[in-house]
Amino acid sequence: MSPAAPPGVEHYLYYRVPDAAATGLRLALLAEQAALCAAHPGLEARLLERVDPAAGQRTWMEIYRRPGAGVEEALAAAIEARMAAHCAAAGVGGRHLEAFRALPPCA
């Protein structure tokens, strides 16, 4: 990315997953993230987890970034369509999206 290029938007999606659904859903989401990265050059995707053993669930966060171009509207829609379908099939809802733009570094 050139210094003059504006930083792109990064997407952070978080939601709760019951422990019983975690293993199967994790495998499906990681496979889908790999397919999305292959289909959209430069896209970087991660899946993070926070476990709350007392609650019997975990909080997951999907992170998507693409240096330079960012996660534009069409890509965001493709991500949500594919990932939300797996979550819905596993009985997981309540996906919350936060979008952030990196600030330019100090001169």
Side-chain angles (χ1 to χ4, degrees):
M1 180 162 104
S2 71
V9 173
E10 298 180 15
H11 280 199
Y12 299 81
L13 292 111
Y14 60 94
Y15 46 94
R16 296 188 198 281
V17 177
D19 289 344
T23 300
L25 183 57
R26 180 180 60 83
L27 296 173
L29 294 183
L30 290 174
E32 202 64 68
Q33 283 185 328
L36 283 162
C37 289
H40 300 278
L43 179 64
E44 300 169 5
R46 296 175 62 203
L47 182 62
L48 306 179
E49 172 181 76
R50 181 183 68 212
V51 177
D52 183 358
Q57 65 183 6
R58 23 197 95 217
T59 302
W60 282 3
M61 179 175 290
E62 299 168 30
I63 301 174
Y64 300 94
R65 66 184 299 268
R66 188 160 63 169
V71 178
E72 73 277 356
E73 199 171 310
L75 176 54
I79 290 168
E80 186 58 17
R82 293 173 78 164
M83 303 302 276
H86 289 288
C87 287
V92 173
R95 292 168 56 84
H96 304 282
L97 169 66
E98 300 286 342
F100 289 86
R101 181 178 310 275
L103 296 174
C106 295

